[in-house]
């Protein structure tokens, strides 16, 4: 997948080409506003971040090749049917709460097990809907404290149990700033790579 940002205010994440802003100050954003921002035609394969089935359907009709849903298809009950209809890969991400509430007071009994069990349930839902290629994302920085993020990063191997490719996007996240004092522009450092794990095969690819 390649990166392609339609306008300056769109953001790229992981293998994603176009992303609906998931920051608390941006959420929620109306579907009409999302569609007015982009989706003319894509000359290279891209993935779109969205929690809206209508946006996903429109993007896929325009040639988008992958959907990345930060809600793991829980925000819009029609999302799984749309993805299954086009038979494209989907990324299911874990997030505690919503973008507006996720960082208020994130709390887990066991963050690694809790996230794995959530993703396991969402993978089962996706498979039941007829989606054949499923990726998972533990959601670094989405409803996680600094400690939660570090615990997840230290235990990535445990996510093998899901049997799916794993995407992790820690770059520029606030927990790096909390640990290092670095400003957003200076937070790439050792996190300039994305972690893609296909079952037992571990590979690193540059962002």
């Amino acid at each position: 997948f390649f990166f392609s940002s339609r306008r300056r205010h769109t953001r790229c994440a992981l293998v994603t080409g176009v992303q609906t802003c998931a920051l608390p100050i941006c959420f929620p954003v109306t579907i009409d506003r999302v569609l007015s921002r982009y989706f003319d035609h894509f000359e290279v394969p891209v993935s779109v971040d969205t929690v809206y089935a209508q946006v996903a359907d429109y993007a896929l009709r325009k040639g988008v090749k992958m959907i990345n849903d930060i809600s793991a298809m829980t925000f819009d009950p029609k999302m799984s049917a749309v993805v299954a209809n086009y038979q494209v890969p989907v990324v299911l991400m874990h997030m505690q709460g919503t973008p507006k509430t996720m960082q208020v007071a994130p709390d887990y009994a066991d963050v690694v097990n809790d996230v794995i069990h959530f993703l396991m349930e969402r993978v089962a839902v996706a498979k039941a809907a007829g989606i054949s290629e499923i990726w998972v994302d533990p959601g670094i920085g989405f409803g996680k404290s600094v400690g939660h993020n570090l615990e997840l990063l230290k235990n990535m191997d445990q996510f093998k149990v899901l049997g799916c490719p794993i995407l992790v996007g820690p770059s520029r996240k606030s927990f790096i700033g909390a640990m290092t004092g670095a400003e957003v522009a200076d937070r790439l450092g050792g996190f300039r790579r994305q972690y893609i794990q296909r079952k037992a095969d571990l590979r690193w690819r540059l962002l």
Side-chain angles (χ1 to χ4, degrees), residues 71-88:
S71 77
M73 303 194 301
T74 63
F75 282 8
D76 190 331
K78 297 179 181 178
M79 181 66 85
S80 59
V82 169
V83 175
N85 181 54
Y86 286 91
Q87 280 301 302
V88 294

Side-chain angles (χ1 to χ4, degrees), residues 35 39 48 50 52-61 64 67 79 82-83 86:
L35 294 179
F39 303 139
V48 164
T50 184
Y52 302 120
Q54 183 179 340
V55 173
D57 182 70
Y58 188 88
L60 292 166
R61 282 191 279 116
V64 165
I67 297 297
M79 181 66 85
V82 169
V83 175
Y86 286 91

Side-chain angles (χ1 to χ4, degrees), residues 15-139:
V15 295
T16 304
V18 182
Q19 178 182 25
T20 301
C21 180
L23 298 175
I25 60 172
C26 302
F27 196 86
V29 61
T30 65
I31 293 175
D32 288 342
R33 186 179 178 192
V34 172
L35 294 179
S36 70
R37 286 181 174 181
Y38 37 67
F39 303 139
D40 296 330
H41 174 70
F42 296 103
E43 296 179 356
V44 294
V46 297
S47 165
V48 164
D49 283 18
T50 184
V51 297
Y52 302 120
Q54 183 179 340
V55 173
D57 182 70
Y58 188 88
L60 292 166
R61 282 191 279 116
K62 292 293 185 178
V64 165
K65 301 300 184 184
M66 187 178 202
I67 297 297
N68 190 335
D69 189 332
I70 63 170
S71 77
M73 303 194 301
T74 63
F75 282 8
D76 190 331
K78 297 179 181 178
M79 181 66 85
S80 59
V82 169
V83 175
N85 181 54
Y86 286 91
Q87 280 301 302
V88 294
V90 65
V91 180
L92 306 176
M93 194 193 81
H94 174 274
M95 172 173 55
Q96 188 175 85
T98 69
K100 275 197 173 296
T101 65
M102 63 186 182
Q103 292 305 115
V104 174
D107 182 58
Y108 300 87
D110 181 320
V111 66
V112 176
N113 284 332
D114 289 357
V115 172
I116 287 175
H117 284 302
F118 170 84
L119 291 174
M120 192 175 292
E121 291 175 356
R122 299 313 301 168
V123 167
V125 169
K127 287 181 177 179
I131 300 171
S132 57
E133 186 170 352
I134 304 163
W135 299 44
V136 294
D137 181 346

Side-chain angles (χ1 to χ4, degrees), residues 166-187:
I166 301 170
L167 272 64
V168 179
S171 61
R172 302 188 189 277
K173 294 290 175 65
S174 61
F175 81 97
I176 299 175
M179 294 171 59
T180 65
E183 296 298 325
V184 174
D186 300 318
R187 290 179 189 168

